[in-house]
Amino acid sequence: MKVHILLGPPGSGKGTQAQRLVEKFKLNHLSTGDILRDAVSKGTEIGLRAKAIMASGKLVDDDTVNGLVFARLRQGFEGDVLFDGYPRTLQQAEALGEFLSTQMIELGHVLSVAVPDGVLEARVVGRRVCSNCGAIYHVETKPPKQDGICDLCGSPLKHRSDDTAEAFRSRMAEFNATFQPLLGFYERKPNFRSVDGNLAPEQVFESLVKLFAECA
Ligand code: AP5
Ligand code: MG
């Protein structure tokens, strides 16, 4: 088993691309944002603590997130894992590195989706997500066939509580404060690559697929 990592700012397309990569390469998708949102909706102890932090666009503390990820990895997976939204800080990256070496799990691809700041807010504010299957839409650039309804499973679409302009700005501030050290940590790894995420989703996917095949 290997773990692969998708890095990128809020709205860069990590979730969109992860859903496609998972299908193509038969990976297990591990999104810390999805795990935390699930904890919030179930009202677990972590969810109760994380709810307001997430809605305001701040980061949940490293120990909590590392704990969730390591517990899930300890349960094991059939096949490789694709992280989306994790690691997010240098501390998380270092803790993950130690965890992987103690568990003898290999680090696979580290792919950074680069998108200029200027286009991200509109992507995030217009995003809608299926409440059942998690399919990702956008009111303008990827609208569902029927307003508010998922094309794939017919369930209602929802608007994430942190997809407001205000929370987005806070998420960007968190990203800008943490990304350079994280990038510095991974740029030195042999399987690190960056892709242009400011293209159509299909083109971004093509670049990612090529990299997955190239530096296996
Ligand atoms: P998380 O859920 O990870 O959110 P994020 O990183 O802010 O990223 P997003 O999910 O907003 O964007 P995305 O890159 O997945 O874009 P998407 O494909 O959906 O984290 C949420 C919160 O949880 C955090 O703020 C924090 O509180 C907490 N958290 C999570 N992980 C944590 C961690 N490790 N440590 C601490 N706290 C953590 O696309 C966005 C929109 O753009 C969609 O509408 C889509 O249709 C559209 N789009 C996608 N690609 C393109 C394209 N190429 N061109 C045009 N539009 C596109
Ligand atoms: Mg996402």
Side-chain angles (χ1 to χ4, degrees):
M1 172 180 129
K2 285 186 190 176
V3 302
H4 309 284
I5 296 172
L6 272 184
L7 301 174
S12 54
K14 301 181 297 296
T16 300
Q17 298 301 331
Q19 288 178 352
R20 304 179 74 157
L21 289 167
V22 158
E23 203 179 310
K24 176 148 184 92
F25 293 106
K26 307 285 170 247
L27 308 168
N28 298 284
H29 185 189
L30 207 157
S31 154
T32 43
D34 288 348
I35 293 173
L36 288 163
R37 278 184 287 278
D38 189 49
V40 169
S41 74
K42 288 185 175 138
T44 66
E45 193 206 318
I46 289 177
L48 292 174
R49 271 194 284 126
K51 187 175 181 181
I53 299 171
M54 292 174 74
S56 72
K58 302 272 183 227
L59 291 179
V60 174
D61 68 279
D62 291 334
D63 288 347
T64 297
V65 179
N66 288 334
L68 285 169
V69 170
F70 300 164
R72 184 61 195 89
L73 286 176
R74 277 198 190 94
Q75 288 169 9
F77 282 99
E78 292 256 325
D80 290 1
V81 174
L82 179 65
F83 284 133
D84 154 8
Y86 178 87
R88 197 71 152 231
T89 64
L90 180 59
Q91 197 280 348
Q92 291 179 16
E94 288 173 344
L96 175 67
E98 276 174 35
F99 180 85
L100 295 182
S101 62
T102 58
Q103 303 290 313
M104 315 253 265
I105 299 172
E106 205 182 322
L107 177 66
H109 304 286
V110 182
L111 303 173
S112 177
V113 184
V115 181
D117 290 7
V119 303
L120 295 171
E121 181 172 330
R123 284 192 188 186
V124 161
V125 172
R127 169 174 41 200
R128 299 293 182 271
V129 182
C130 176
S131 53
N132 174 47
C133 72
I136 300 169
Y137 296 86
H138 189 282
V139 287
E140 279 163 16
T141 59
K142 195 178 183 288
K145 291 192 187 94
Q146 195 187 336
D147 199 22
I149 301 293
C150 179
D151 293 347
L152 303 180
C153 72
S155 302
L157 303 185
K158 61 180 187 200
H159 193 206
R160 267 169 51 177
S161 65
D162 59 348
D163 278 351
T164 60
E166 194 190 350
F168 168 77
R169 282 193 279 275
S170 162
R171 286 157 65 192
M172 275 311 289
E174 291 280 33
F175 175 80
N176 288 326
T178 51
F179 191 61
Q180 278 313 316
L182 187 65
L183 194 61
F185 181 87
Y186 283 120
E187 264 173 346
R188 295 179 267 128
K189 307 278 180 197
N191 281 356
F192 173 87
R193 298 286 187 280
S194 182
V195 299
D196 182 357
N198 195 21
L199 301 170
E202 296 67 32
Q203 287 174 281
V204 181
F205 182 60
E206 243 177 65
S207 314
L208 289 168
V209 167
K210 237 186 238 165
L211 290 176
F212 249 78
E214 250 174 37
C215 50

